[in-house]
Amino acid sequence: MKKELVRRLGAFSCALLAALPLVSCGDTDTVEQKEWIYVPEFVSIEDENVSYYGMQMAGSNIYYTSYTWDEASETGTNSFCKYSLTDRQVETIPLAWPEGSEDMNINSFSLGQDGSIYTVTYEYMEKEDGSLDSQQIVYKFDAQGNMVYSEDLTKWLEEDEQNSYIRTMAADGQGRLYLCMESMILLFDAEGAQQGKISIDTANGWVNGMGRGKDGKMYINMYNYNTGEGISQNILIELDFEGRTTGNVYENFPNVNGEKITPGVEKDFLIYDNTTVYEYDLATQTKEEVFEWLDSDIDGNTVSVCGALEDGRFVVVYEDWQNDDRGVALLTKTKSSQLAQKETIVIGTLYGGSDLQSMAVKFNKSNDKYRISIRDYMPDGEDYEARLRTGITNMNNDVTSRNCPDILDLSGVNVAQLSAKGLFEDMTPYLEKSSVLSREDFVENVLTAYTYQDVLVSIPKNFSIHTMVGSKDDFEGKDGWTLEEMVAYGEAHPEAELFDDMPKAQMMNYMMVFNEGAFIDWSTGECKFDSDEFKNLLNFVNRFPDEVDYAAGGASTPTRIQNGEVLLDMTAISNFEDVQVPIEEFQGNAAFIGFPLADGQSGHALIADQACAILAKSNHKDGAWAFIESWLTEEEGKYSWGFPVLKSQLDEKIAEATKVEYYENENGEMVAWEGGSSVEYEDGWSYTYHTTTQEEVDMVMALIDAARPVSYNFGSEVVKIITEEAEAFYKGQKSVDEVAKVIQSRVKMYVGENS
């Protein structure tokens, strides 16, 4: 659970944006008008049993599996279908399975250039003792469904437990089949004869995808997370069928989506990521943009197939589980001057994200006046910190130029710092004029939390609460505490650790996230890192270990808390049931004390999800508000995260959490279901969730009412300076006074340059 909290915290972490001087965004719209747009036609496949999962494209056809259940006979039927993009008709291809295997369950399939169909199936047989034995069999059928060959893979897969599962499969231009497992590729010729295998080194990575290039050769796309130099990379590897080995390696292959590698139109490969479709050239190892998904009203995060037809149109298969929308789109290259012109609203973002893309697509499809464009400031690359610094610089340059966005995604932004500069538009007048929303519709404390100097800078869509929890015996009646009080609390309990598995660097990060304002005044440039308060913080952090071996095992955090070995825990609350484990950890005697703050007030952190602000210098404020309003009024998606800020949706979440489910027992009586999902640790400590009680709801609502917004700044330049210089103190090479003086000097210089 604690490691999960660290993961969640990391998802929100980023460096602080430098304070920005105000300049006009200009009097003219500087958004570049694209010459060509790929206009979508959304195609409806008339088959109520169509499965978009695993769909594949060959020529002008789309292939898929379809499952039909007959209620009368209580039997299911699997079908293999072809949808023609030419005549828009569905055809069932009768695959000629061996006698007695007519209703085969296809595990995966692939398509040859000549229309051949390759499938892998699991087949089960009952043994003499009544148990089931399984086989994996590969079949090849011609385009009409006649079986060409079958080959039992069991003998090959049983030899190596690591390679018992087929990850992906593909056929090359000569009809030869490649079956990719974890670290080897089985080879079959066009007649189905097994021709050996190619071994793949996956010690530091995995095969991401496999497919043909435009040259007809077979390639694998491989992700290596450690090249020996601490660098991760995506590589493309040519496969040599005759030599049973790998061939040329291309180390500059982009990070892309999708398991299938697709031949390009003019270049070697067609590739795509969450935002853009490219063509990739092997000779120059470069990519060239073809189009952006958003321009075609498609969320790139949902795309599973992208291919090209001979007439130049693109075929896209997408599955949007969040909004229960899936289908096929045909994209036609069109002069943008021929299309109805809309006012472009630009959203600037460091992280992008599927939620932002999804909402932009929905808005663009439904609004005839405005169109959203997303400007992602994070460049490509593997070094996250370097990318983040570049992204922040790119954002700063944009916001201070005539090319500034209209909306700023606040993920990772220090809202208080930027708000002090008057960067954001006040949303209150827009809310007052809205015909669909009013202030009373929202959780009041969230609006209060995002009001700076009487300016409502944002209304988040969702939020969560991050806090500290301890024993009620120690914190009864306390609504918050200071850094000094937390240090004193630790010193008063020398027999126990404050936190479990907490290294120095992480502890300093936490303390600075919630207390940076105690040591930096961005409006004046004043810094207090040579103060006694900061020196005490350095001494406090020095109590924690340099590093933590998370793989070392041992007792879990709940066990150590209950044994008196650990005093505090951190927890993230994004659902009403999330308070149950902390309460159980402290055996029903938990107090949610919050993070220590310099002013001693309640330190429950309100972490916003999907929060945007309108820039004060935008020339398209009405359009910007139209997008934010549509986002806020959108119903909660199937897989929404956190607490909704709309009271009506929050009430629905409460009703769902507290709803008691009933079942019929052996006596025919309807009784309440007591058990739920469980969490279990390696040392045996476990907990089974129960239906949320009203008391637990009240507890969470009290935390929401007291929470304040926090922008996580793990890895910020300030924390980086502190971490670098504090190391000498931690190692005993310098005194706390010497280190504090150096930190004061460096941070003061940095703040002076950026405030």
Side-chain angles (χ1 to χ4, degrees):
M1 294 290 287
K2 188 171 73 63
K3 294 174 187 176
E4 172 66 12
L5 171 61
V6 172
R7 186 191 67 78
R8 292 186 190 180
L9 290 174
F12 293 100
S13 63
C14 88
L16 284 172
L17 287 170
L20 305 175
L22 294 181
V23 297
S24 173
C25 295
D27 299 324
T28 59
D29 192 342
T30 59
V31 178
E32 180 181 355
Q33 182 69 40
K34 296 180 180 179
E35 182 180 4
W36 297 96
I37 298 293
Y38 281 82
V39 178
E41 175 195 358
F42 294 97
V43 177
S44 176
I45 297 179
E46 299 300 327
D47 180 357
E48 62 181 12
N49 298 308
V50 60
S51 172
Y52 292 93
Y53 176 77
M55 261 189 181
Q56 294 184 36
M57 174 189 167
S60 60
N61 301 309
I62 292 176
Y63 295 79
Y64 64 92
T65 57
S66 177
Y67 181 79
T68 306
W69 176 258
D70 186 277
E71 291 287 351
S73 62
E74 294 187 344
T75 57
T77 302
N78 289 287
S79 302
F80 191 79
C81 302
K82 177 177 73 174
Y83 177 76
S84 170
L85 293 165
T86 303
D87 58 25
R88 308 295 174 90
Q89 297 296 314
V90 174
E91 175 188 349
T92 298
I93 301 176
L95 300 182
W97 300 106
E99 186 176 350
S101 304
E102 290 80 7
D103 188 26
M104 196 68 67
N105 185 22
I106 299 174
N107 183 53
S108 59
F109 71 90
S110 189
L111 304 166
Q113 284 182 292
D114 60 354
S116 297
I117 303 163
Y118 302 83
T119 72
V120 171
T121 68
Y122 283 100
E123 301 181 21
Y124 298 92
M125 300 163 294
E126 186 174 348
K127 297 192 294 186
E128 293 182 1
D129 61 1
S131 62
L132 292 178
D133 195 9
S134 65
Q135 291 178 305
Q136 291 187 63
I137 299 180
V138 59
Y139 293 91
K140 178 181 179 180
F141 304 90
D142 63 20
Q144 290 72 45
N146 301 305
M147 189 171 70
V148 178
Y149 67 74
S150 68
E151 179 71 22
D152 187 352
L153 304 176
T154 308
K155 61 182 178 180
W156 301 97
L157 302 180
E158 287 181 345
E159 295 177 358
D160 187 349
E161 183 176 340
Q162 182 186 20
N163 291 297
S164 61
Y165 174 73
I166 298 172
R167 293 175 60 91
T168 185
M169 60 190 295
D172 65 14
Q174 300 179 46
R176 302 177 300 191
L177 185 63
Y178 301 67
L179 297 177
C180 181
M181 269 70 73
E182 184 71 24
S183 60
M184 75 174 185
I185 299 173
L186 287 179
L187 306 172
F188 294 85
D189 65 20
E191 288 71 43
Q194 217 284 336
Q195 298 295 314
K197 63 183 180 181
I198 299 175
S199 296
I200 305 295
D201 182 7
T202 56
N204 294 314
W206 59 84
V207 176
N208 212 26
M210 181 170 64
R212 296 188 303 271
K214 192 178 180 184
D215 56 10
K217 296 179 181 179
M218 189 64 63
Y219 296 83
I220 58 172
N221 167 25
M222 191 166 179
Y223 181 75
N224 280 352
Y225 55 79
N226 187 350
T227 63
E229 301 175 355
I231 300 174
S232 300
Q233 64 177 187
N234 213 45
I235 59 176
L236 188 74
I237 304 175
E238 181 182 336
L239 300 178
D240 179 359
F241 190 97
E242 289 81 6
R244 281 58 166 167
T245 186
T246 55
N248 295 327
V249 177
Y250 303 88
E251 296 186 346
N252 296 319
F253 198 66
N255 286 327
V256 294
N257 297 350
E259 294 183 355
K260 295 294 180 183
I261 295 176
T262 306
V265 179
E266 298 180 356
K267 302 184 185 302
D268 295 286
F269 298 102
L270 188 69
I271 60 175
Y272 61 93
D273 56 24
N274 294 341
T275 63
T276 311
V277 177
Y278 306 92
E279 284 209 282
Y280 182 80
D281 184 79
L282 275 179
T284 60
Q285 296 190 52
T286 57
K287 63 181 181 182
E288 181 178 309
E289 179 178 326
V290 182
F291 63 90
E292 292 187 11
W293 289 121
L294 196 54
D295 292 336
S296 300
D297 292 339
I298 293 173
D299 179 359
N301 296 283
T302 68
V303 173
S304 58
V305 174
C306 180
L309 296 174
E310 290 185 355
D311 61 10
R313 289 179 299 169
F314 286 91
V315 181
V316 177
V317 178
Y318 63 93
E319 288 190 279
D320 184 352
W321 293 99
Q322 173 77 12
N323 298 301
D324 199 21
D325 179 26
R326 54 194 60 83
V328 177
L330 287 171
L331 310 183
T332 302
K333 189 175 182 180
T334 308
K335 279 275 190 180
S336 60
S337 58
Q338 299 175 8
L339 304 175
Q341 300 302 303
K342 295 183 180 181
E343 190 175 323
T344 300
I345 310 300
V346 179
I347 301 177
T349 178
L350 279 172
Y351 294 105
S354 59
D355 291 326
L356 192 61
Q357 290 276 349
S358 176
M359 192 56 208
V361 166
K362 292 169 71 173
F363 181 83
N364 289 347
K365 284 183 177 180
S366 62
N367 196 286
D368 58 3
K369 183 176 181 180
Y370 304 109
R371 184 172 191 85
I372 296 297
S373 174
I374 296 178
R375 188 179 296 164
D376 193 339
Y377 294 110
M378 287 277 275
D380 294 333
E382 296 296 336
D383 188 333
Y384 175 76
E385 290 190 4
R387 291 171 55 223
L388 184 58
R389 286 193 294 270
T390 302
I392 292 171
T393 300
N394 292 342
M395 179 178 281
N396 285 355
N397 290 341
D398 252 16
V399 176
T400 58
S401 73
R402 293 173 60 88
N403 194 38
C404 69
D406 303 289
I407 297 173
L408 189 63
D409 174 11
L410 297 182
S411 301
V413 173
N414 188 318
V415 182
Q417 178 188 341
L418 299 186
S419 180
K421 296 294 182 180
L423 185 64
F424 302 127
E425 180 80 356
D426 187 0
M427 289 188 181
T428 300
Y430 298 90
L431 199 56
E432 291 173 345
K433 291 187 294 184
S434 174
S435 61
V436 295
L437 291 173
S438 68
R439 189 178 183 96
E440 290 70 30
D441 293 331
F442 298 97
V443 178
E444 179 59 33
N445 186 53
V446 178
L447 300 191
T448 301
Y450 278 85
T451 299
Y452 295 85
Q453 297 175 332
D454 297 326
V455 173
L456 177 60
V457 303
S458 180
I459 306 174
K461 173 73 173 175
N462 301 84
F463 63 93
S464 65
I465 304 296
H466 292 225
T467 189
M468 285 185 184
V469 58
S471 172
K472 190 179 292 184
D473 293 338
D474 297 328
F475 301 105
E476 185 73 48
K478 288 185 69 66
D479 295 326
W481 57 339
T482 64
L483 279 170
E484 292 77 10
E485 287 175 317
M486 189 177 77
V487 172
Y489 178 65
E491 292 175 347
H493 297 81
E495 75 289 350
E497 299 176 36
L498 267 179
F499 299 97
D500 191 19
D501 289 344
M502 181 70 70
K504 287 183 174 68
Q506 188 173 320
M507 193 67 219
M508 179 59 79
N509 267 318
Y510 283 131
M511 293 302 98
M512 288 306 298
V513 161
F514 295 96
N515 290 282
E516 184 186 83
F519 303 107
I520 300 175
D521 186 336
W522 287 93
S523 63
T524 65
E526 182 183 3
C527 297
K528 299 179 180 178
F529 290 95
D530 55 356
S531 64
D532 290 339
E533 289 79 10
F534 185 72
K535 294 174 187 177
N536 290 337
L537 179 58
L538 283 172
N539 282 311
F540 167 71
V541 170
N542 197 31
R543 296 178 47 180
F544 293 85
D546 295 326
E547 295 181 356
V548 172
D549 183 2
Y550 292 108
S556 65
T557 298
T559 297
R560 297 196 68 202
I561 287 173
Q562 293 177 359
N563 289 341
E565 300 171 29
V566 173
L567 299 173
L568 302 169
D569 199 7
M570 296 186 187
T571 189
I573 303 171
S574 55
N575 289 290
F576 286 99
E577 68 177 16
D578 287 343
V579 296
Q580 293 183 25
V581 167
I583 290 172
E584 183 68 15
E585 281 182 329
F586 289 91
Q587 299 174 304
N589 199 36
F592 293 87
I593 184 62
F595 293 91
L597 299 179
D599 58 11
Q601 295 185 20
S602 178
H604 310 299
L606 190 152
I607 308 299
D609 184 44
Q610 306 172 21
C612 291
I614 301 172
L615 293 182
K617 296 299 181 180
S618 166
N619 291 321
H620 310 283
K621 294 175 185 176
D622 288 339
W625 171 253
F627 171 75
I628 291 173
E629 185 180 64
S630 69
W631 193 346
L632 292 172
T633 53
E634 182 72 15
E635 291 186 7
E636 286 284 282
K638 282 187 174 181
Y639 308 103
S640 59
W641 173 89
F643 299 107
V645 73
L646 273 174
K647 289 180 182 178
S648 58
Q649 294 179 0
L650 186 60
D651 289 341
E652 291 175 5
K653 200 173 186 76
I654 292 173
E656 180 182 350
T658 56
K659 182 180 179 181
V660 179
E661 301 286 349
Y662 292 89
Y663 71 98
E664 186 175 341
N665 66 12
E666 64 275 9
N667 299 322
E669 301 168 330
M670 298 302 294
V671 295
W673 175 253
E674 297 291 342
S677 60
S678 300
V679 58
E680 185 171 352
Y681 293 83
E682 292 182 2
D683 68 345
W685 194 93
S686 64
Y687 179 76
T688 300
Y689 291 93
H690 57 254
T691 302
T692 302
T693 66
Q694 186 59 48
E695 182 182 4
E696 289 163 351
V697 169
D698 294 341
M699 189 179 300
V700 172
M701 294 304 295
L703 294 176
I704 292 174
D705 288 342
R708 59 174 67 184
V710 170
S711 297
Y712 281 108
N713 65 341
F714 288 73
S716 75
E717 190 62 30
V718 172
V719 171
K720 182 180 177 183
I721 292 171
I722 294 171
T723 301
E724 289 175 352
E725 299 300 337
E727 191 69 17
F729 168 62
Y730 298 152
K731 292 182 177 180
Q733 298 168 347
K734 291 183 179 180
S735 69
V736 68
D737 291 327
E738 291 173 317
V739 165
K741 184 177 180 180
V742 175
I743 293 174
Q744 168 73 2
S745 176
R746 288 189 60 187
V747 174
K748 187 174 179 61
M749 180 181 297
Y750 173 77
V751 171
E753 292 171 349
N754 292 279
S755 63

